[in-house]
């Protein structure tokens, strides 16, 4: 393929295509109508393949065919619809143009000191002077000029200067909207300012221009504050790294460090990239990734993450991922992707706004045109004890129509949901919870039941052997070596525990199994020294023909006896009494033997997380109707763990497909269900649930990719925080939508009655509500996880 950028202007061959992506910052694109205008401008450009616009971050990702256009043309297309482009990749379209190394969020803007602000303040000064001469210093308000026979007073001249200063940017934006046939706030306000000025209503035009400009500045400030949370997340990872090359330390850009290189991190410095500690020991603050404020110990062999802070000692780290593939980079990328996905509420709001604005514009036109034609004489009516006069003069009804045009802007209504979603998702990310989309944020707040996997979720998932009980004639060493030999090929945590115990016990080399096979949900099978051995649940051995019910053991003064005269070696020592006693203690029992002879039993226990009970109690207190534990473990162990953590229900001895059925049954009985698991073994159940939540996902690529929501640390205490945040976010979204609609409705009712002025419509209906919904959404950033000790 020809990569020469000069070839982009040449006719392309049949099927020839070179797709590049330009990532650009468009700071002033801060609402859906702005994005719609930019999208229309880009779609008219030949060679555009795909466009992704994110008003909440002020960014545009534009994929184009480099043989038909270039990045400079993309930038010009955006600027042609009235929006300045800041930064980006190589605008010249040269080598590297359109790479993924462009901007990920619009840079901070000088809201109060920029060109738009200066024009606004200038207009405010002149409109204030004009109002002073118009209503206070009336004696000095002399005529200073005449236009087409219409005298202009000093106040009129001051108002005109204010209109030019503050209104020009508004009218300019309205012009671009008209060119793109976009019925948005810029077109409405621009039209209103021009119309009011054209018929000599200078006070109204100047007031509208200045107040609307102030409202735009306040909205820009509020949006910039909302973007700050994502900027903080992106600034966690340092730009530079100290690398050891050829025996010398060199400071280079983090993106230039290759996998396998050694990075030096001194006390107080941030870890620049993911890696494994090769030398040194230190306490590392991983709160940027996991949200955990307590530092963790980092010693040789431990994994560390980019953005973490080295608090104590000297570390040398072998890099395991590049800057663009670090855990922090993936988190940021997923947070940005989550913001780009519209929730069902957002889709509804956009559809509603598509009808709302044209209807109110039509009402505004009718309000300005019809009453003067119908009302010949003044009409007085009394409403709620107040006298209201309806007159038929054109000036009065034109101003009321103008006021309705202001109210027609749906900005506060449209931004009410996305700004809440952005605030919620970025706040969660900073607290170690990765939410993959606003739809998942909303869904989590509506769940009625939460299903929790046992191992690794309610328990630590760090299993240890507690009991080794061989049958008569078999010693512990033989039992452990046979069990460890089988488990050598298994990756289950139980295998790790058994192998560790066998290593401690000694007694000879662990044999290597042949023809190893995992029996899903039951156990394992393999050949050792030419004979087939099994290790697994009691149910597995019952399938092999063992009948434990024929030889029940009982404890008599600490001695295990049997009431079966046959006392089969394969069943006598492991009848229901012995197994049940171990299971009642919350232990998992693994039997080991062949299909005709048992060697013994190994009991394994998993420590319950100390925060599990408090977390379950908190979920119940927050309003979760039903909390259930799902496990593949035996009934006795499940019951013991369930009683300790306080769940409403437990379901034991479940295969992966049984967990799927359990989630479906919970949905039928209670409604929306969230499933919490490890993101891999519970993948089918996670996918079936309305919300799938993976725990401990910081070092697990699969969990990060497959789960709807990922708790970055092994802390189930984050689950109540997640539910509280999501539930509150849903409440905030509803408050924002109904408040903005309610205020607009009340203002619209007051306009024909003469109770609402242009200034009131701008200050309350536009500026006030936009600030109100943004401020309300920012409350989500103040929700913090509780500490469960």
């Amino acid at each position: 393929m020809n990569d020469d950028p000069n070839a982009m202007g040449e006719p392309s061959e049949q099927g020839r295509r070179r797709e590049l992506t330009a990532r650009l910052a468009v700071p002033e694109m801060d609402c859906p109508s702005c994005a719609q205008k930019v999208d229309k401008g880009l779609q008219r450009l030949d060679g555009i393949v795909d466009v992704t616009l994110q008003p909440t971050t002020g960014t545009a990702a534009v994929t184009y065919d480099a043989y038909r256009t270039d990045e400079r043309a993309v930038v010009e297309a955006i600027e042609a619809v009235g929006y300045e482009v800041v930064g980006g990749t190589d605008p010249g379209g040269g080598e590297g143009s359109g790479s993924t190394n462009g901007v990920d969020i619009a840079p901070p803007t000088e809201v109060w000191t920029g060109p738009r602000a200066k024009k606004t303040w200038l207009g405010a000064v002149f409109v204030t002077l004009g109002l002073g001469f118009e209503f206070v210093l009336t004696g000095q308000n002399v005529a200073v000029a005449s236009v087409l026979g219409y005298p202009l007073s000093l106040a009129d001249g001051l108002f005109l200067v204010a209109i030019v200063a503050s209104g020009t940017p508004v009218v300019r934006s309205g012009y671009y909207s008209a060119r793109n046939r976009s019925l948005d706030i810029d077109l409405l306000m621009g039209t209103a300012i021009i119309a009011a000025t054209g018929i000599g209503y200078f006070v109204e035009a100047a007031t509208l221009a200045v107040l609307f400009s102030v409202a735009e500045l306040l909205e820009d400030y509020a949006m910039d504050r909302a973007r700050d949370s994502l900027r903080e997340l992106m600034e966690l990872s340092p730009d530079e790294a100290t690398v050891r090359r050829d025996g010398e330390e060199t400071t280079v850009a983090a993106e230039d460090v290759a996998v396998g290189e050694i990075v030096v991190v001194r006390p107080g410095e941030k870890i620049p990239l993911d890696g494994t500690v090769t030398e040194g020991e230190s306490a590392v603050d991983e709160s940027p990734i996991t949200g955990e404020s307590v530092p963790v110990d980092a010693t040789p062999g431990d994994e560390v993450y980019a953005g973490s802070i080295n608090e104590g000692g000297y570390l040398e780290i072998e890099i395991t991922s590049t800057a663009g593939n670090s855990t922090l980079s993936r988190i940021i990328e997923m947070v940005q992707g989550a913001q780009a996905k519209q929730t069902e509420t957002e889709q509804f709001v956009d559809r509603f706004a598509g009808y709302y604005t044209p209807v109110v514009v039509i009402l505004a036109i009718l309000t300005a045109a019809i009453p003067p034609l119908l009302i010949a004489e003044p009409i007085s009516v009394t409403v709620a004890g107040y006298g209201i006069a309806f007159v038929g003069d054109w000036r009065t009804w034109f101003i009321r129509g103008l006021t309705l045009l202001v109210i027609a802007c749906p900005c506060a209504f449209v931004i009410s949901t996305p700004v809440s979603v952005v605030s919620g998702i970025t706040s969660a990310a900073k607290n170690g919870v990765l939410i993959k989309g606003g739809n998942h944020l909303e869904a989590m707040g509506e769940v009625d039941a939460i299903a929790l996997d046992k191992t690794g979720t309610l328990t630590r998932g760090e299993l240890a052997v507690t009991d080794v009980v061989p049958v008569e004639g078999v010693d512990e060493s033989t039992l452990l070596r046979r069990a460890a030999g089988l488990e050598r090929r298994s990756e289950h945590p139980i295998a790790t525990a058994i192998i560790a115990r066998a290593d401690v016990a000694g007694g000879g080399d662990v044999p290597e199994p042949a023809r190893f096979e995992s029996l899903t949900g039951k156990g394992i099978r393999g050949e050792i020294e030419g004979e087939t051995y099994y290790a697994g649940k009691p149910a597995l051995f019952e399938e092999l023909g063992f009948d434990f019910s024929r030889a029940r053991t009982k404890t008599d003064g600490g001695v295990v006896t049997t009431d079966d005269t046959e006392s089969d070696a394969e069943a006598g020592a492991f009848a229901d009494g012995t197994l049940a006693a171990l299971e009642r203690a919350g232990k998992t029992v693994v039997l080991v033997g062949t299909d005709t002879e048992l060697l013994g039993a190994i009991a394994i226990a998993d420590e319950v997380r100390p925060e599990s009970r408090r977390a379950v109690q908190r979920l119940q207190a927050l309003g979760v109707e039903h909390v259930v534990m799902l496990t593949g473990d035996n009934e006795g162990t499940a019951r013991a763990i369930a009683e300790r953590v306080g769940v409403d229900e437990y379901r034991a001895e479940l295969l992966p497909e049984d967990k799927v059925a359990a989630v479906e049954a919970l949905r039928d009985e209670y409604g929306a269900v969230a499933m919490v698991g490890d993101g891999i073994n519970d993948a089918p159940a996670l996918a079936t649930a309305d919300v799938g939540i993976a725990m401990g996902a910081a070092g697990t690529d699969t969990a990060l990719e497959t789960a709807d929501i990922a708790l970055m640390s092994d802390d189930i205490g984050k689950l109540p925080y997640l539910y509280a945040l999501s539930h509150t976010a849903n409440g905030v979204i509803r408050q924002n939508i109904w408040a903005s609609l309610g205020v607009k409705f009340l203002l619209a009712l007051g306009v024909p009655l003469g109770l609402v002025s242009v200034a009131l419509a701008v200050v309350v209906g536009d500026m006030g509500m936009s600030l109100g919904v943004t401020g309300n959404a920012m409350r989500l950033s103040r929700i913090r996880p509780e500490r469960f000790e």
Side-chain angles (χ1 to χ4, degrees):
M1 179 177 289
N2 181 11
D3 288 342
D4 182 3
N6 296 324
M8 287 187 287
E10 300 174 2
S12 61
E13 298 175 8
Q14 184 69 28
R16 198 176 190 186
R17 187 162 169 163
R18 181 190 177 203
E19 292 185 5
L20 299 178
T21 299
R23 298 184 183 274
L24 309 168
V26 191
E28 296 175 353
M29 183 184 68
D30 54 12
C31 66
S33 62
C34 302
Q36 185 181 48
K37 196 189 306 183
V38 171
D39 185 61
K40 286 182 178 179
L42 288 170
Q43 294 304 332
R44 287 198 292 268
L45 182 65
D46 183 51
I48 296 298
V49 177
D50 183 62
V51 176
T52 301
L53 304 173
Q54 296 190 35
T56 51
T57 59
T59 57
V62 184
T63 302
Y64 59 91
D65 183 355
Y67 288 104
R68 298 160 63 193
T69 189
D70 58 20
E71 186 173 318
R72 181 180 285 109
V74 171
V75 172
E76 290 173 352
I78 296 175
E79 292 180 339
V81 295
Y83 294 94
E84 181 184 6
V85 176
V86 178
T89 49
D90 177 15
E95 203 65 35
S97 174
S99 71
T100 57
N101 296 325
V103 290
D104 294 310
I105 188 169
T109 56
E110 297 178 350
V111 176
W112 306 115
T113 58
R116 176 72 179 269
K118 291 176 181 177
K119 293 177 182 178
T120 301
W121 306 141
L122 180 63
V125 169
F126 278 97
V127 82
T128 302
L129 291 174
L131 290 173
F133 282 105
E134 182 78 14
F135 298 106
V136 180
L137 305 174
T138 54
Q140 284 74 40
N141 189 24
V142 297
V144 294
S146 176
V147 177
L148 299 178
Y150 184 87
L152 295 178
S153 65
L154 177 60
D156 292 336
L158 293 171
F159 289 138
L160 284 171
V161 174
I163 292 169
V164 172
S166 297
T168 300
V170 181
V171 173
R172 176 176 172 273
S173 297
Y175 164 72
Y176 286 120
S177 297
R179 278 184 52 184
N180 287 276
R181 294 186 292 278
S182 178
L183 185 61
D184 58 13
I185 185 62
D186 294 322
L187 178 58
L188 296 176
M189 294 301 100
T191 301
I193 291 170
I194 292 173
T197 304
I199 60 176
Y201 291 178
F202 303 129
V203 177
E204 290 79 6
T207 303
L208 179 58
V210 171
L211 286 178
F212 180 70
S213 293
V214 172
E216 289 286 279
L217 291 178
L218 287 170
E219 288 178 17
D220 290 344
Y221 173 72
M223 181 58 71
D224 205 51
R225 287 287 304 276
R227 291 171 180 170
D228 278 344
S229 56
L230 184 56
R231 291 193 190 103
E232 291 171 6
L233 193 64
M234 298 175 67
E235 290 170 358
L236 290 174
S237 184
D239 296 326
E240 295 181 332
T242 302
V243 186
R244 176 164 292 149
R245 292 175 177 172
D246 299 325
E248 297 183 358
E249 294 182 6
T250 305
T251 300
V252 300
E255 61 187 24
D256 293 334
V257 180
V259 173
E261 289 196 281
I262 300 297
V263 167
V264 174
V265 183
R266 291 181 170 80
E269 295 181 347
K270 287 184 178 181
I271 296 172
L273 300 155
D274 289 358
T276 302
V277 176
T278 59
E279 184 176 327
E281 296 182 359
S282 180
V284 175
D285 178 6
E286 294 184 344
S287 59
I289 305 297
T290 65
E292 290 297 318
S293 57
V294 179
V296 299
D297 293 331
T299 58
D302 291 339
E303 290 185 352
V304 290
Y305 305 112
S308 302
I309 302 170
N310 178 19
E311 295 200 337
Y314 171 89
L315 293 176
E316 290 189 7
I317 301 167
E318 181 179 350
I319 300 307
T320 57
S321 68
T322 59
N325 292 320
S326 70
T327 300
L328 182 59
S329 295
R330 294 202 304 274
I331 290 173
I332 293 171
E333 182 180 348
M334 290 177 182
V335 168
Q336 291 175 313
Q339 295 172 1
K341 301 174 184 175
Q342 278 198 324
T343 67
E344 291 184 7
T345 305
E346 285 181 88
Q347 293 172 9
F348 163 75
V349 166
D350 285 349
R351 289 194 301 269
F352 182 88
Y355 294 102
Y356 168 83
T357 300
V359 168
V360 179
V361 168
I362 292 172
L363 289 177
I365 295 172
L366 294 177
T367 298
I370 302 301
L373 300 176
L374 298 180
I375 302 175
E377 298 292 335
I379 301 173
S380 297
V381 297
T382 301
V383 178
Y386 292 92
I388 299 175
F390 291 93
V391 294
D393 67 289
W394 288 95
R395 178 186 179 89
T396 298
W397 289 102
F398 177 82
I399 294 174
R400 292 177 183 178
L402 198 67
T403 306
L404 272 179
L405 273 185
V406 175
I407 296 172
C409 170
C411 281
F413 178 60
V414 171
I415 69 172
S416 59
T417 299
V419 75
S420 302
V421 169
V422 169
S423 180
I425 288 177
T426 52
S427 175
K430 288 190 290 185
N431 286 291
V433 179
L434 177 60
I435 302 174
K436 305 281 283 295
N439 51 332
H440 304 311
L441 177 71
E442 288 188 355
M444 185 63 202
E446 300 292 338
V447 298
D448 304 294
I450 295 180
L452 304 166
D453 180 49
K454 178 181 74 69
T455 304
T457 302
L458 291 170
T459 65
R460 291 189 183 279
E462 298 171 357
L463 302 177
V465 173
T466 60
D467 302 88
V468 179
V469 188
V471 299
E472 185 177 352
V474 178
D475 58 45
E476 283 192 14
S477 177
T478 300
L479 172 59
L480 283 171
R481 284 193 302 111
R482 288 288 186 268
L486 285 172
E487 299 288 2
R488 285 183 63 170
R489 295 286 185 88
S490 174
E491 296 181 357
H492 196 281
I494 287 178
T496 304
I498 292 175
I499 293 171
R501 178 60 178 268
D503 290 341
V504 172
D509 295 334
V510 175
E512 181 73 26
R515 297 185 181 179
F516 175 85
E517 182 181 358
S518 175
L519 307 174
T520 304
K522 299 175 183 178
I524 56 178
R525 174 173 58 197
E527 284 188 9
I528 296 178
E529 297 175 357
E531 188 169 4
T532 300
Y533 284 86
Y534 297 82
K537 298 178 180 179
L540 170 62
F541 284 83
E542 288 178 347
E543 289 183 7
L544 294 174
F546 291 85
D547 185 0
F548 297 113
S549 64
R550 290 190 299 105
R552 297 187 176 277
T553 62
K554 54 189 177 183
T555 302
D556 182 8
V559 179
V560 177
T561 62
T562 177
D563 58 8
D564 189 337
T565 56
E566 295 181 25
S567 188
D568 293 338
E570 66 270 21
F574 299 104
D576 290 341
T578 303
L579 300 181
L582 293 171
E583 291 173 351
R584 278 197 302 271
K587 300 176 181 180
T588 299
V589 177
V590 175
L591 297 183
V592 182
T594 67
D595 57 359
T596 59
E597 180 183 9
L598 285 174
L599 297 182
I602 299 175
I604 296 152
D606 185 8
E607 182 183 356
V608 175
R609 297 181 187 274
E611 67 272 18
S612 291
R613 185 172 183 83
R614 287 285 308 280
V616 170
Q617 290 174 339
R618 184 62 181 145
L619 285 171
Q620 294 165 335
L622 287 170
V624 177
E625 186 177 346
H626 199 71
V627 181
V628 59
M629 181 183 78
L630 305 181
T631 178
D633 219 330
N634 62 72
E635 178 76 17
T637 301
R639 183 188 303 110
I641 300 297
E643 290 174 353
R644 290 185 62 183
V645 300
V647 294
D648 299 308
E649 178 191 357
Y650 70 89
R651 303 187 185 189
E653 301 181 4
L654 301 178
L655 298 175
E657 58 267 29
D658 297 328
K659 290 185 180 181
V660 171
V663 169
E664 292 173 342
L666 287 169
R667 182 188 290 118
D668 293 339
E669 185 173 356
Y670 296 100
V673 179
M675 173 70 192
V676 188
D678 62 12
I680 302 173
N681 296 332
D682 300 306
L686 289 172
T688 302
D690 297 278
V691 183
I693 304 170
M695 272 190 60
T700 309
D701 292 344
T702 304
L704 278 175
E705 296 296 333
T706 59
D708 299 324
I709 299 174
L711 307 184
M712 303 306 290
S713 64
D714 280 320
D715 182 8
I716 195 175
K718 295 288 179 65
L719 194 57
Y721 159 74
L722 169 62
Y723 179 79
L725 176 72
S726 302
H727 194 69
T728 304
N730 286 348
V732 166
I733 290 171
R734 285 191 291 268
Q735 292 164 13
N736 284 349
I737 290 175
W738 290 113
S740 55
L741 274 180
V743 168
K744 294 278 190 182
F745 178 73
L746 291 176
L747 290 173
L749 285 181
V751 169
L753 303 178
L755 302 177
V756 178
S757 65
V758 172
L760 184 64
V762 173
V763 172
V764 177
D766 182 60
M767 174 175 63
M769 284 313 304
S770 293
L771 289 176
V773 299
T774 303
N776 194 30
M778 296 303 290
R779 289 194 299 116
L780 296 174
S781 64
R782 296 198 293 269
I783 299 177
R784 294 284 186 270
E786 298 180 41
R787 296 289 304 176
F788 297 133
E789 301 297 342

